[in-house]
Amino acid sequence: MREIAEIEQALRRAAPHRLVGVVEDALRDHGVLRVELRMADYGLRTLQLVGHVPGAEPSVPIHDSPQGRAFGAQEPYVARESGVLGLHLPVTVRGDRLGVLTAELPPRADVGPLLPGLAQLCEALGHEILVAERDTDLYVLARRATRLTLAAEMQWQLLPGRSCVRPEFALAAHLEPAYAIFGDNYDWSVSDGRLTLTVTNGMGEGIEAALLTNLAINALRNARRAGLPLADQAALADQAVYAQYGGKSFVSVLLLGFDLATGEVEAVDAGSPRLWRQRGQVVEAVGFEAQLPLGMFEDTVYVPERFSVRPGDRLLFGSDGVYAASSPSGESYGDRALARALRGTRLLPPTHVPQAVLRELAVHHGDGPLEDDALVVCLDWHGAASTVAV
């Protein structure tokens, strides 16, 4: 597709709500009959249609549809149905899976020559969607299969994305119940040579928990962006939460800084989120010295601890809604079942692991909804390009 640069320019110039139309107009010259874009919903169960396309289903399941195959495998998928050829392509930005672009062509069309250009076009479209979301609700609305609670709306707006891929690592996270979360959250930032990751659990329920977590996350970001060391980031956020709530409410957080060149990790454990490491077939909890949650007392001093990761390590972070969830017999999920789930998902990419673990959690818990919201973050460590596994 020699005009790909022109299409990218047209996307940049287009009104935020017109991105799909720009792509469709550009592809008609290549024999494409119709284009549609679907966004993955917050629960990662369906692909929701962006805008109104006559004759199209409003949503399709991720786990049992041609579009879902492209989304899950992150590869183009061709399906012949209803007298047309459907070419489904993942729309992904830096590892964050946004959705699927579908191009319908005549049944005997040769899609081979189109694939390289379309893959490049999908990447450009993904970037423009993220920019356009500042000015339109169109793509945000397409992410929801049902209405969010106000607390969940606040929490999803805080998140950096659902996954991130770099040469040194691959990272993914998921929250449940996706449409009614209130206290659990995560945040990450990648800079030159460093990954900072936080896993957060604000006490309480509903709006109060969401407000508390919003304050803590933004205080941590403010300290990080000021260039403060990890322990000082925790201390500043602790002061902010205490100043607002006077010790009546607090936030549990596991705060980590990864050196991308060496695999050395600095950690501050201020509360309940926990970490497990899988190295080969061995799964073990990584314990830290327990320190006070943010905002419990005034002027808490935090002390960082250190450990290291090796290429091939998988780290799994869970909130108390994960490891403390009990089975009908009273066994906590974190005692043994979580380790079994990690071993059972070893061959899955990180983007699939959080949901797989949460499905195992639902089986472990038995009938009825979980008593708390649940957060799982999975990180696969590849190491720097020059690092040799030992």
Side-chain angles (χ1 to χ4, degrees), residues 72-85:
Q74 287 294 287
E75 294 179 353
Y77 181 74
V78 179
R80 288 176 171 81
E81 51 190 29
S82 302
V84 298
L85 184 150

Side-chain angles (χ1 to χ4, degrees), residues 88-144:
H88 309 288
L89 302 111
V91 178
T92 301
V93 179
R94 294 191 175 95
D96 193 12
R97 303 178 300 164
L98 303 182
V100 173
L101 181 74
T102 295
E104 290 187 356
L105 296 102
R108 290 186 173 84
D110 182 8
V111 300
L114 293 176
L115 285 177
L118 284 174
Q120 187 177 348
L121 175 59
C122 285
E123 183 177 0
L125 176 61
H127 281 280
E128 292 305 317
I129 287 171
L130 295 184
V131 174
E133 285 182 342
R134 300 180 305 178
D135 302 313
T136 179
D137 286 337
L138 180 67
Y139 309 101
V140 174
L141 288 172
R143 285 190 168 99
R144 54 194 69 190

Side-chain angles (χ1 to χ4, degrees), residues 121-333:
L121 175 59
C122 285
E123 183 177 0
L125 176 61
H127 281 280
E128 292 305 317
I129 287 171
L130 295 184
V131 174
E133 285 182 342
R134 300 180 305 178
D135 302 313
T136 179
D137 286 337
L138 180 67
Y139 309 101
V140 174
L141 288 172
R143 285 190 168 99
R144 54 194 69 190
T146 187
R147 183 173 179 176
L148 294 173
T149 65
L150 179 54
E153 184 93 46
M154 295 167 66
Q155 295 291 54
W156 279 105
Q157 292 301 312
L158 270 183
L159 300 178
R162 283 187 290 216
S163 52
C164 178
V165 175
R166 284 278 300 267
E168 301 89 351
F169 66 87
L171 175 64
H174 192 63
L175 288 156
E176 286 289 350
Y179 291 86
I181 53 172
F182 36 82
D184 288 357
N185 211 285
Y186 59 87
D187 193 27
W188 61 65
S189 175
V190 187
S191 58
D192 185 20
R194 188 171 179 84
L195 163 68
T196 302
L197 171 66
T198 58
V199 183
T200 309
N201 183 8
M203 67 174 290
E205 298 182 358
I207 297 298
E208 291 302 319
L211 288 169
L212 177 60
T213 302
N214 266 259
L215 175 60
I217 291 287
N218 281 293
L220 287 167
R221 287 174 175 172
N222 179 256
R224 183 185 73 224
R225 292 164 182 169
L228 298 182
L230 204 68
D232 291 344
Q233 293 175 31
L236 186 145
D238 170 69
Q239 293 168 14
V241 175
Y242 185 85
Q244 182 67 30
Y245 293 96
K248 297 178 181 178
S249 297
F250 53 85
V251 179
S252 298
V253 61
L254 181 58
L255 181 60
L256 302 106
F258 294 78
D259 187 310
L260 298 181
T262 66
E264 294 299 313
V265 187
E266 189 178 29
V268 173
D269 181 3
S272 63
R274 296 188 185 177
L275 166 62
W276 287 262
R277 177 177 59 208
Q278 180 168 13
R279 182 170 288 169
Q281 289 299 313
V282 178
V283 177
E284 58 184 350
V286 179
F288 302 106
E289 180 182 345
Q291 302 183 66
L292 293 173
L294 307 183
M296 182 170 282
F297 296 103
E298 190 173 12
D299 297 327
T300 304
V301 176
Y302 293 95
V303 179
E305 300 176 66
R306 288 173 173 80
F307 68 101
S308 62
V309 288
R310 301 175 183 174
D313 282 357
R314 169 166 285 178
L315 304 181
L316 188 110
F317 307 83
S319 65
D320 58 358
V322 175
Y323 66 81
S326 60
S327 68
S329 65
E331 180 187 25
S332 294
Y333 187 61

Side-chain angles (χ1 to χ4, degrees), residues 343-357:
R343 294 189 190 96
T345 58
R346 187 68 182 95
L347 299 180
L348 294 178
T351 49
H352 291 62
V353 171
Q355 274 192 300
V357 170

Side-chain angles (χ1 to χ4, degrees), residues 34-36 38 49 51-60 67 104:
R34 187 172 69 88
V35 167
E36 67 179 34
R38 294 179 181 273
L49 190 64
H52 176 67
V53 178
E57 293 293 331
S59 67
V60 296
Q67 297 92 333
E104 290 187 356

